[in-house]
Amino acid sequence: MRQIGALPYRIDASGAAQIMLITSRETRRWVIPKGNPIKGMASHEAAAQEAYEEAGIRGYPCPTPVGDFIYRKHRRAGRSRDTTVTVFPLAFVEQAGDWPEQNQRDTRWFPLDQAAAAVDEPGLKAIIAAFREPPIPASFAERVLPVVRTGARRRVPMLGWFQSLMPKQGRFFELFEAHAATLVAGADALAKLLHGEGSIADQVAEIIRREHEADDITRDVLQDVRRVFVTPFDRSAITDLIGVMDDAIDQMNGTAKAIQLYEVTDFTPQMRDMAGIIVEAARVTAEAIPLLRSVASNGGRLHELTSRLIQLEGHADDIHDTGVQALFKASQNGGDPMAFIAGREIYSSLEKIVDRFEDVANEIQGLVIDHA
């Protein structure tokens, strides 16, 4: 037996992920919203529907699942059977004031570690635990230099010179993480635009604002590369990574401007699905970037995250092709040819955003190979 499930998440002000769990109706165990596939509805859309009915959650579902888990489903007749649940990330937007099963379940936001501990199924524990590990909170200088200062200052004459460089070295990581935050914010605004949340003009303005922030950060990185003698990675690796990250937000900006140019106000399900993938790709990137502070110890997790980005890009390609094909058939059956031209342009731009996230994955994989 197969089911679909939603993993509703939000990122708090500190950058940590929180997961919403709900109680089951009979045993009151902590679980995720889940249910049987819904005829005529894609799996990720059915998962989002379950999240609304069981928890009142509205959000952006990613059509690429994060994994499967198995649990033992008990029937009223006393029989039970193994059930496999495919889990889809659901970026939280809001919780309704009223929903169908509101009086049958409790809902609660949990930090990741507490959410993993609260559920019973080992497979679901693993999915939640691996969803977003907290980044390393301190740079090498902050963690190591205080110890070195107390025991080795007199024995290492060059240490003072080295210390003067290390704080500048940490600036690269801070700038990378700040840029990743603009990707998350830009992806969120793009998803709101394609899902009809708020006015198109407001969401376009937000994407443009984030793109300008990202440009300023990129400029600071390039200035530091020229100024700082010692850098955490090879100079070309730094410029290449910030370059592809900036390409991603630039492409979001290009998508928003194309929507304005063609005055598109109605978006297809495939466009919304690609927005869900972009939100997920930005989230994964925002987790991966802080882990670059210690590539050696985080190489395994970085490999998992970059593999996820590549998986997302492959799925986005399939959605793109399906969407363009549907537009073409509509134009052949009496539809507006201009709608096909505008829609194809938007699809192409959305696909390029995901392509840039794949470029980010490739750059990170290169760093892992070189430095892990």
Side-chain angles (χ1 to χ4, degrees):
M1 183 174 178
R2 299 197 68 89
Q3 291 186 328
I4 44 81
L7 192 67
Y9 75 90
R10 66 185 182 186
I11 308 299
D12 65 22
S14 70
Q18 296 179 333
I19 301 295
M20 174 174 280
L21 298 179
I22 64 174
T23 54
S24 61
R25 283 184 288 196
E26 295 180 3
T27 64
R28 313 303 292 178
R29 296 179 301 113
W30 288 111
V31 296
I32 61 171
K34 63 184 186 299
N36 296 326
I38 300 174
K39 186 176 180 179
M41 189 175 288
S43 295
H44 64 288
E45 293 173 340
Q49 180 65 27
E50 292 293 338
Y52 172 73
E53 292 180 0
E54 298 181 0
I57 291 293
R58 291 182 59 256
Y60 312 129
C62 174
T64 309
V66 289
D68 300 326
F69 73 93
I70 298 174
Y71 79 102
R72 195 74 178 168
K73 182 174 179 61
H74 298 280
R75 297 183 177 274
R76 292 181 179 178
R79 293 176 297 176
S80 63
R81 63 188 300 184
D82 284 341
T83 302
T84 300
V85 182
T86 301
V87 182
F88 297 89
L90 181 68
F92 173 79
V93 173
E94 66 179 2
Q95 186 175 32
D98 182 51
W99 62 91
E101 299 183 17
Q102 184 173 11
N103 297 323
Q104 303 173 38
R105 305 175 187 274
D106 296 327
T107 65
R108 184 188 303 174
W109 287 105
F110 289 84
L112 276 183
D113 56 345
Q114 294 180 24
V119 299
D120 291 340
E121 296 79 9
L124 182 55
K125 285 180 180 288
I127 288 173
I128 294 174
F131 185 69
R132 182 185 172 95
E133 294 181 349
I136 295 175
S139 68
F140 174 87
E142 293 167 337
R143 288 182 287 113
V144 176
L145 284 182
V147 177
V148 176
R149 288 192 191 105
T150 59
R153 180 179 294 275
R154 293 181 181 178
R155 292 187 291 108
V156 186
M158 293 296 290
L159 185 60
W161 169 82
F162 184 65
Q163 290 169 350
S164 70
L165 289 173
M166 289 301 288
K168 296 176 184 177
Q169 187 179 108
R171 178 178 166 87
F172 288 107
F173 297 121
E174 294 162 4
L175 292 172
F176 281 139
E177 291 164 23
H179 197 292
T182 69
L183 295 177
V184 172
D188 180 69
L190 182 62
K192 288 178 178 176
L193 192 162
L194 295 177
H195 282 80
E197 302 282 347
S199 74
I200 290 177
D202 287 345
Q203 301 307 337
V204 170
E206 174 66 6
I207 293 169
I208 293 172
R209 185 172 74 84
R210 296 299 184 174
E211 191 269 339
H212 289 165
E213 288 180 2
D215 281 346
D216 291 340
I217 295 167
T218 300
R219 192 176 304 110
D220 288 343
V221 170
L222 298 179
Q223 289 175 349
D224 277 7
V225 166
R226 291 192 293 269
R227 189 183 76 245
V228 178
F229 179 69
V230 175
T231 61
F233 305 116
D234 179 80
R235 282 176 168 78
S236 63
I238 292 173
T239 57
D240 289 348
L241 178 57
I242 199 65
V244 293
M245 291 174 66
D246 204 50
D247 289 343
I249 190 85
D250 285 346
Q251 197 62 53
M252 292 182 204
N253 188 28
T255 305
K257 288 184 175 179
I259 289 170
Q260 271 193 324
L261 175 65
Y262 290 108
E263 298 182 343
V264 179
T265 57
D266 187 28
F267 304 99
T268 67
Q270 291 88 355
M271 290 177 184
R272 292 194 293 270
D273 287 349
M274 293 187 76
I277 284 181
I278 291 166
V279 168
E280 174 70 353
R283 180 195 69 81
V284 172
T285 299
E287 178 184 352
I289 292 300
L291 301 181
L292 294 175
R293 291 178 180 271
S294 181
V295 176
S297 60
N298 294 316
R301 181 59 177 165
L302 285 167
H303 176 72
E304 294 173 359
L305 294 172
T306 53
S307 296
R308 174 70 172 164
L309 288 173
I310 292 169
Q311 177 193 29
L312 291 168
E313 191 277 335
H315 196 180
D317 282 348
D318 295 338
I319 296 171
H320 166 273
D321 294 345
T322 301
V324 172
Q325 185 179 48
L327 283 178
F328 179 73
K329 287 182 178 179
S331 69
Q332 293 293 97
N333 294 327
D336 182 4
M338 285 304 300
F340 171 73
I341 294 172
R344 184 177 61 178
E345 178 71 18
I346 293 170
Y347 272 119
S348 176
S349 191
L350 290 169
E351 182 186 32
K352 289 175 183 176
I353 297 172
V354 189
D355 287 344
R356 300 294 78 77
F357 280 111
E358 183 186 29
D359 293 340
V360 171
N362 292 334
E363 291 297 334
I364 293 175
Q365 284 180 337
L367 289 171
V368 172
I369 292 171
D370 290 343
H371 298 276

